[in-house]
């Protein structure tokens, strides 16, 4: 007999039929006449209730049916008499495929803290919260491909091992096969990477953009979607050492077109999750409301999760220049009352407290900030005519801060070379990148969306460690 997933069973198509269901026991309760077993198989947030009557199943027969056990259950799918579910299964056969010793199984009926669940990340998929989070993550990933596919973008797999530092921030993980104790050395004592596996020093990529740009110069529109690595030692709720990024790159786009695409893209994938994971998002919203009750009034959310997402999908993002953003910040009461920890003045990078003030207090919606000072942005961003700013854009989201970073690219060879010199990048190292400016270069633009930050936004999860299956952060690479 073929197994049917819980999601389908709950939709009731097989009412009155004998069905086979497989999954994991969430709870078992009952009395001397009947036992109710809640089974979940990950296809939906909802459990299927299995009814085992005492005249068919002795206590002994059900002794291994405990929370966490894997079971296969046959029975008739019937309309439920009880509240809380439309359908249930009247069991005729119950087989325990894998026991879960109740003495040692770490997931019990009571609610566990997210911190505790992080320590048992190998089991946390089996909770309602993480079930919902990772189903939403899956839907968002699918929506990313769907969006770009519908627009005719080519999905490009850029390398994970590279010799370049695309962001110029020097936050790279070295990739090497040299003996760490006794590496080959140059005469001056430095490590001789010519003898390393790739014949040069290599690292895990911080961004697929530079290679993405090469492909855009042939396919017009491409995107990457893969893991990226940053050895920045920031232990925050928004940073991972290994995270996933989506980087579209478009030939013949300027900054405005780039911003338009980013806004359309973000709305599209949120809308797709709202349409396909409504129950999961509703559950995560309730979770947030519970969490909110323990917070002081002023820290509580003004909108529910669903309301927030609907709002974002249905309203235009705000657009301001960096210069305007600094003016807003400097003129704010917050600034006058000296409530910002970090300095605000033209030329400084916006800190997350500034970004959050702009989106959460001032505009109360996502904001696209453009035209940042050139000195705080990467070398590849196009220099504006003022000679001081570059055609950069960051998208800031409520509760998250920066979710997208992007720009129009510097397509003018001389200016690009000049900027590389300024930040100490050798022309020889990026000869292939510069070639695209020599041979058929054109105006182009692109951006990077931090996938985990996006998942945080849609699920409302406060810590980025809770939206990636196995987080990599400083001092932590368990599982
Ligand atoms: O702003 P970033 O550094 O931009 C780039 O890497 C460009 N090459 C993108 C492009 O134009 N193609 O990173 C892009 C986004 C950030 O806005 C943020 O959402 C996310 O990547 N991000 C991180 N997410 C989690 N952990 C980290 N350590 C992150 N660093 C950046
Ligand atoms: Mg950035």
């Amino acid at each position: 007999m073929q197994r049917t997933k819980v999601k389908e069973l709950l939709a009731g198509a097989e009412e009155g039929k004998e069905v086979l269901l497989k999954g994991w026991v969430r709870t078992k309760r009952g009395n001397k006449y009947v036992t109710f077993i809640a089974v979940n198989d990950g296809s939906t947030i909802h459990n299927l209730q299995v009814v085992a009557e005492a005249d068919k199943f002795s206590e002994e027969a059900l002794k291994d049916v405990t929370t966490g056990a894997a079971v296969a259950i046959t029975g008739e799918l019937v309309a439920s008499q009880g509240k809380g579910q439309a359908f249930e299964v009247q069991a005729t056969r119950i087989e325990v495929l894998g026991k879960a010793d109740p003495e040692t199984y770490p997931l019990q009926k009571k609610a566990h803290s997210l911190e505790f669940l992080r320590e048992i990340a190998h089991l946390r998929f089996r909770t309602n919260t993480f079930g919902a989070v990772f189903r939403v993550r899956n839907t968002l990933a699918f929506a990313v491909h769907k969006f770009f596919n519908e627009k005719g973008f080519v999905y490009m797999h850029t390398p994970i091992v590279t010799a370049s530092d695309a962001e110029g921030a020097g936050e790279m993980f070295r990739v090497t096969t040299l003996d760490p104790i006794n590496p080959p050395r140059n005469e001056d004592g430095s490590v001789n990477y010519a003898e390393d596996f790739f014949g040069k020093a290599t690292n895990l990529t911080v961004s697929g953009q530079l290679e993405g740009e090469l492909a855009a110069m042939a396919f017009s529109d491409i995107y990457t979607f893969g893991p990226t690595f940053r050895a920045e030692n920031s232990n925050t709720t928004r940073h991972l050492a290994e995270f996933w990024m989506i980087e579209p790159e478009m030939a013949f786009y300027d900054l405005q077109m780039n911003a338009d695409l980013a806004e359309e893209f973000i709305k599209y994938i949120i809308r797709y999750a709202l349409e396909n994971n409504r129950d999961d998002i509703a559950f995560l919203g309730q979770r947030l409301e519970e969490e909110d009750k323990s917070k002081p009034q002023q820290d509580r959310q003004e909108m529910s999760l669903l309301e927030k997402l609907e709002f974002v999908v249905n309203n235009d993002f705000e657009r301001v220049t960096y210069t305007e953003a600094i003016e807003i910040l400097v003129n704010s009461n917050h600034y006058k009352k000296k409530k910002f920890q970090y300095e605000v003045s033209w030329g400084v990078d916006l800190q997350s407290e500034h970004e959050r003030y702009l989106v959460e207090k001032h505009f109360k919606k996502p904001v696209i900030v453009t035209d940042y000072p050139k000195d705080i942005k990467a070398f590849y961003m196009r220099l504006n005519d003022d000679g001081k700013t570059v055609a950069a854009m960051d998208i800031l989201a409520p509760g998250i801060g920066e979710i997208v970073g992007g720009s129009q690219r510097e397509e003018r060879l001389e200016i690009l070379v000049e900027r590389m010199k300024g930040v100490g990048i050798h022309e020889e190292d990026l000869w292939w990148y510069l070639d695209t400016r020599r041979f058929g270069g054109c105006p182009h633009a692109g951006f990077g969306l931090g996938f985990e930050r996006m998942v945080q936004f849609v699920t409302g999860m406060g810590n980025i460690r809770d939206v990636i299956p196995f987080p990599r952060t400083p001092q932590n690479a368990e599982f």
Side-chain angles (χ1 to χ4, degrees), residues 118-161:
R118 239 169 262 150
E119 288 167 14
I120 52 164
H122 58 307
L123 297 172
R124 68 178 178 170
F125 296 124
R126 301 186 194 183
T127 63
N128 281 334
T129 300
F130 288 95
V133 165
F134 290 111
R135 272 188 300 275
V136 171
R137 182 180 167 113
N138 168 63
T139 298
L140 289 170
F142 182 76
V144 166
H145 290 298
K146 190 164 150 54
F147 176 82
F148 286 118
N149 193 263
E150 283 168 6
K151 287 200 170 293
F153 281 55
V154 173
Y155 178 29
M156 206 36 74
H157 297 103
T158 49
I160 287 174
V161 176

Side-chain angles (χ1 to χ4, degrees), residues 167 207 209 230 232 240 245 247 402-405 409 450:
E167 293 306 303
S207 159
Q209 177 195 323
R230 295 198 185 172
E232 47 191 337
L240 291 166
M245 185 156 51
E247 295 184 273
E402 181 190 335
I403 194 164
V404 161
R409 316 307 187 191

Side-chain angles (χ1 to χ4, degrees), residues 160-166 169-177 193 196 198 200-207 227-234 239-243 471-477:
I160 287 174
V161 176
T162 140
S164 58
D165 177 6
E171 295 161 334
M172 299 175 301
F173 289 101
R174 175 139 288 159
V175 174
T176 177
T177 53
Y193 286 104
D196 203 348
F198 295 105
K200 53 162 83 171
T202 50
N203 52 273
L204 295 176
T205 186
V206 295
S207 159
T228 25
F229 307 86
R230 295 198 185 172
E232 47 191 337
N233 207 347
S234 17
H239 289 88
L240 291 166
E242 175 181 289
F243 64 100
R472 268 59 183 123
T473 50
Q475 297 298 313
N476 172 41

Side-chain angles (χ1 to χ4, degrees), residues 438-453:
R438 293 190 182 104
F439 308 129
C442 70
H444 62 289
F447 62 85
L449 171 73
F451 188 56
E452 282 75 22
R453 293 191 188 174

Side-chain angles (χ1 to χ4, degrees), residues 377 394 402 405:
K377 288 292 183 190
D394 276 8
E402 181 190 335

